[in-house]
């Protein structure tokens, strides 16, 4: 299993540009998440999904969109990049085992908006 | 009040020392907690879950104190490889049962 994969690893955007951060998992997990992590800070939840076709907002959804057309993929879209979106973005997936849940993270995408 | 609060550190300890971190949480209804480890510029990885009865895995022990609403992580016989940031994680009250809230992390530096 590749686990959770993310592309690209690093990207520089100009203000106002758009891009899609890709996330895929091959563990057949129903739950998937997008987080951002600013320097020296914890992870903040952007969006999450409990299954194909179902998405919901997290703590900091403004400026982002997501879709979940398949179990495997959960892309994150930035429509109008702003300097405040400079961050490291982590995708995660999880399963529930007898009520206990473990999240597995991808390696992250570093985004710089100038 | 933040949902999860941690002392950012850094905790600088010599090899072989025992070190403990605490983390407080605000959602008294929370049932499951976790400690994640994050190395510099890497993704978080699950270190251990925290059960109401406590949890021990080798040199690592996690405890839950519901009355005072904190969880702890004890590391015995610290190794250089334990140097990392340790993230305390609790269920999010704001965004639903499935979401987790991560603390800002406690940085540990083990020195030779």
């Amino acid at each position: 299993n590749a686990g959770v994969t993310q592309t690209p690893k690093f990207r520089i955007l100009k203000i106002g540009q758009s891009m899609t951060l890709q996330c895929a998992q091959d563990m057949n997990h129903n739950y998937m998440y997008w987080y951002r992590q600013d320097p020296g800070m914890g992870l903040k939840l952007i969006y999450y999904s409990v299954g194909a076709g179902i998405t919901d907002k997290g703590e900091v959804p403004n400026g982002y969109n997501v879709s979940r057309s398949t179990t495997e993929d959960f892309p994150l879209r930035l429509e109008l990049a702003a300097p405040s979106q400079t961050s490291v973005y982590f995708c995660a997936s999880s399963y529930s085992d007898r009520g206990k849940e473990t999240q597995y993270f991808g390696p992250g995408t570093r985004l710089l908006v100038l | 009040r933040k949902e999860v609060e941690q002392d950012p550190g850094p905790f600088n300890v010599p090899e072989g020392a025992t070190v403990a971190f605490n983390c407080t949480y605000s959602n008294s209804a929370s049932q499951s907690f976790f400690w994640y480890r994050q190395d510099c510029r890497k993704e978080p990885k699950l270190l251990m879950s925290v059960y109401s009865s406590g949890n021990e895995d080798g040199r690592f022990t996690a405890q839950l104190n519901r009355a005072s609403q904190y969880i702890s992580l004890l590391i015995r016989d610290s190794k250089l490889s334990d140097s990392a940031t340790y993230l305390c994680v609790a269920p999010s009250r704001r965004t639903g049962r499935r979401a987790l809230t991560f603390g800002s992390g406690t940085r540990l530096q083990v020195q030779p």
Side-chain angles (χ1 to χ4, degrees):
Chain A
N1 283 353
V4 181
T5 57
Q6 291 183 240
T7 55
K9 285 190 171 58
F10 178 67
R11 182 80 183 265
I12 299 175
L13 279 184
K14 293 183 180 176
I15 294 171
Q17 285 185 318
S18 62
M19 78 165 291
T20 299
L21 283 66
Q22 301 291 346
C23 173
Q25 53 93 8
D26 61 358
M27 298 175 281
N28 203 33
H29 289 171
N30 280 335
Y31 313 116
M32 295 188 75
Y33 313 81
W34 273 106
Y35 295 89
R36 60 176 286 173
Q37 186 176 33
D38 299 329
M41 305 293 286
L43 282 75
K44 291 191 188 304
L45 183 66
I46 305 171
Y47 270 96
Y48 67 104
S49 168
V50 299
I54 306 169
T55 63
D56 212 343
K57 294 178 181 179
E59 188 183 351
V60 290
N62 292 346
Y64 306 95
N65 275 303
V66 293
S67 59
R68 184 95 184 270
S69 55
T70 66
T71 299
E72 294 78 21
D73 300 297
F74 191 40
L76 177 72
R77 178 92 180 150
L78 282 71
E79 291 294 349
L80 289 170
S84 61
Q85 293 178 306
T86 292
S87 191
V88 180
Y89 291 84
F90 289 105
C91 178
S93 70
S94 70
Y95 71 97
S96 181
D97 179 11
R98 288 166 287 183
K100 293 187 168 54
E101 200 169 318
T102 301
Q103 290 196 10
Y104 295 86
F105 284 82
T109 293
R110 296 180 185 282
L111 178 65
L112 179 61
V113 181
L114 299 174
Chain B
R1 183 183 172 188
K2 287 184 181 177
E3 289 193 64
V4 175
E5 293 202 69
Q6 295 182 251
D7 180 343
F11 284 62
N12 295 304
V13 302
E15 269 187 291
T18 295
V19 62
F21 313 134
N22 281 347
C23 160
T24 58
Y25 62 92
S26 61
N27 183 2
S28 59
S30 296
Q31 295 294 317
S32 45
F33 304 86
F34 309 90
W35 283 102
Y36 275 74
R37 172 194 168 125
Q38 187 173 27
D39 293 298
C40 188
R41 301 176 74 83
K42 298 284 189 182
E43 72 271 25
K45 293 186 177 174
L46 180 68
L47 178 65
M48 58 198 313
S49 304
V50 186
Y51 309 131
S52 56
S53 57
N55 190 16
E56 186 172 323
D57 183 5
R59 299 181 293 109
F60 298 84
T61 301
Q63 295 280 353
L64 168 61
N65 185 315
R66 286 198 186 278
S68 301
Q69 290 185 212
Y70 74 84
I71 65 172
S72 63
L73 178 67
L74 181 79
I75 305 175
R76 289 179 295 277
D77 189 22
S78 299
K79 311 288 185 195
L80 293 176
S81 57
D82 294 334
S83 297
T85 297
Y86 291 84
L87 306 174
C88 171
V89 184
S92 173
R93 180 172 48 190
R94 281 178 288 178
T95 51
R97 187 173 68 87
R98 282 289 166 215
L100 300 176
T101 294
F102 284 74
S104 300
T106 297
R107 191 163 148 241
L108 172 66
Q109 185 67 45
V110 180
Q111 295 161 339

